[in-house]
Amino acid sequence: MSLLAAALSVALQAAPERETRVAVADLLGQTPSQVATALGAAPDPVAADAFRIAEAERSIEIYPAMRFWRVAPAGDSCVTGFPEVPDPDNVEGRPRTRLARRNRGYLVFENGRLAAIHPEPLRPGGTGPATREGVEAFGRARSLESPWLAAPGGLPAPDGLGVLDRLPPIPDDLSVASICGPLPNGPPVRSGDIGTDIIWAMIGLPFLVAVPFQRSEAARADREGGALLASVEPGSVLPQGVDAFAAGTRGVRVYGDPADPGFAVVAVKLGPGHSNGSDIGLLGVRDGRVVWETERFPAQVLGLRGLMCRDGEGRPGRIRPGCSTTGYLEP
C-alpha cells in the first residue's frame, strides 16, 4: 500500500460516520416541506414529485421515499433508510450497508399532511451473488407484489384509493435514519489509452448527426405533452371522453382493459429527464374522470412505468403498444 493510500485509509477511519434518526411518529401531521426539512432532504417537494389521487372527496399524495433521502454535505455521501425493517435472511454487515438495503418506501400525505410511511419489505434470498436469473426473478416478484396492481398483468391502480390497502405493513416504532460519512476523492476514470479514447469518440460521431432532430423532438414532446398534462389534475372531468382528450397530440396513447371497460390509462411522452430517455406522464381515468396522475420522477421510481409492460407472470416485454422487449414504455 502506498503512503498516500495508507494516509487516506487512516483519515477515513478517523472520521467516524454520523447517524441521525427521526421517529415517524414525530413526523405525522407535517407538510411535505416540513418533513423534508426534518429529514435533511432537498427542500420544497411539489405535487409533481408524487403519485396523486382524488377520489371520494379525499386528496392523497404518495411520494417515493427517495424524494426524502438526506442530501449529503459537500465531501460526504449519505444513505437513508428504515432500520426497523426486518431482514428474513438476518444478514450482518456495516450499519451503512444494512441501512442502504432498507431505503425504499412510500410516504402518504392526505390533505397535505403526512398520514403514514410504508417501507418496502426485504425479500428473502436477495443477498447472494448477482446473476441474470436472480435479477429477473427479483424483478418478477417485485412486480407481482406491487401495491399498484389490483391484479397481475393489469393496468396500474384501477381502483384508485384501493392502492392504500395494498401498501406494505408498517413496522412498530418505525424511524427514518441517515448515515453520512466522508467521500474519498479519486482521479477521473479514463481508459488509460488515448488511442482507445479516440476510437470511442469516432464511434459516437455518426450519432451526432441525429442530435439536432432528437433535441427538437424532445422539446416538442415536453411542450405539447406537458401542456396536455397541465390541463387536467386528479378530479378533472373529461367532457368528451378519454379518447377525445388524447386525440391530436403526438406521443400520447390510451390503454384500456377489456375486463374493466370503464378504466383507462393515458400515457404521455415528455422530454428527457435525469437520463437520456424520455420522461412520461400517466393518468388514470375512470368513466371520463381523472382519478390519479403521476409524471416524470415518481412514474419511474415508483415503478408504474415498468408495470405497464409486465405480463401476468411479472415478465417484461411487448405487453402493450409502446413497450420494448425489455419492458420500457415509450408512448
Side-chain angles (χ1 to χ4, degrees):
M1 179 183 291
S2 69
L3 183 60
L4 178 60
L8 179 60
S9 176
V10 171
L12 291 178
Q13 294 175 10
E17 294 181 324
R18 305 174 303 282
E19 178 176 341
T20 59
R21 188 174 299 205
V22 180
V24 169
D26 295 335
L27 298 173
L28 296 177
Q30 296 188 17
T31 66
S33 292
Q34 290 171 331
V35 173
T37 299
L39 298 180
D44 301 326
V46 296
D49 295 334
F51 177 94
R52 310 184 298 282
I53 310 173
E55 190 176 29
E57 299 184 355
R58 296 178 67 184
S59 176
I60 302 291
E61 295 177 348
I62 303 177
Y63 290 80
M66 184 184 295
R67 176 58 186 82
F68 294 89
W69 287 356
R70 179 172 292 274
V71 176
D76 279 8
S77 66
C78 296
V79 296
T80 299
F82 308 100
E84 291 77 22
V85 173
D87 184 355
D89 295 325
N90 294 316
V91 176
E92 298 294 332
R94 295 176 56 206
R96 184 185 186 94
T97 304
R98 297 180 73 251
L99 189 62
R101 296 182 61 229
R102 297 162 166 81
N103 64 1
R104 291 180 175 271
Y106 312 89
L107 279 74
V108 180
F109 292 79
E110 183 159 6
N111 298 324
R113 300 285 175 173
L114 182 65
I117 297 182
H118 298 261
E120 283 196 12
L122 290 176
R123 294 172 176 81
T127 59
T131 63
R132 178 177 177 179
E133 292 76 13
V135 171
E136 290 177 348
F138 177 84
R140 289 196 299 272
R142 192 162 186 263
S143 298
L144 293 174
E145 297 169 7
S146 171
W148 306 109
L149 292 182
L155 292 171
D159 50 353
L161 291 172
V163 169
L164 299 177
D165 297 328
R166 294 189 293 271
L167 291 174
I170 304 172
D172 293 336
D173 302 319
L174 184 66
S175 66
V176 184
S178 295
I179 298 177
C180 299
L183 182 67
N185 295 320
V189 178
R190 289 186 55 200
S191 69
D193 181 349
I194 191 171
T196 301
D197 292 342
I198 292 174
I199 289 173
W200 279 111
M202 293 178 66
I203 290 174
L205 283 176
F207 297 97
L208 293 178
V209 177
V211 167
F213 171 76
Q214 292 172 348
R215 288 179 175 172
S216 175
E217 173 62 16
R220 179 210 60 78
D222 211 48
R223 182 176 62 255
E224 297 180 4
L228 188 68
L229 286 176
S231 69
V232 295
E233 61 183 6
S236 295
V237 175
L238 309 179
Q240 297 179 334
V242 64
D243 291 318
F245 170 77
T249 304
R250 288 181 292 170
V252 179
R253 291 182 186 268
V254 177
Y255 298 93
D257 184 350
D260 187 3
F263 181 71
V265 171
V266 181
V268 182
K269 183 178 180 180
L270 302 170
H274 297 292
S275 66
N276 290 329
S278 297
D279 278 341
I280 67 167
L282 297 173
L283 299 172
V285 181
R286 166 72 64 186
D287 297 327
R289 180 180 176 275
V290 179
V291 176
W292 57 259
E293 179 177 1
T294 188
E295 60 187 87
R296 302 186 190 273
F297 169 76
Q300 184 72 36
V301 174
L302 290 174
L304 285 97
R305 183 177 195 167
L307 289 173
M308 293 289 295
C309 299
R310 294 268 177 172
D311 65 13
E313 297 182 2
R315 295 173 300 192
R318 297 184 183 276
I319 311 305
R320 297 182 173 92
C323 291
S324 71
T325 54
T326 57
Y328 186 80
L329 179 64
E330 183 94 12

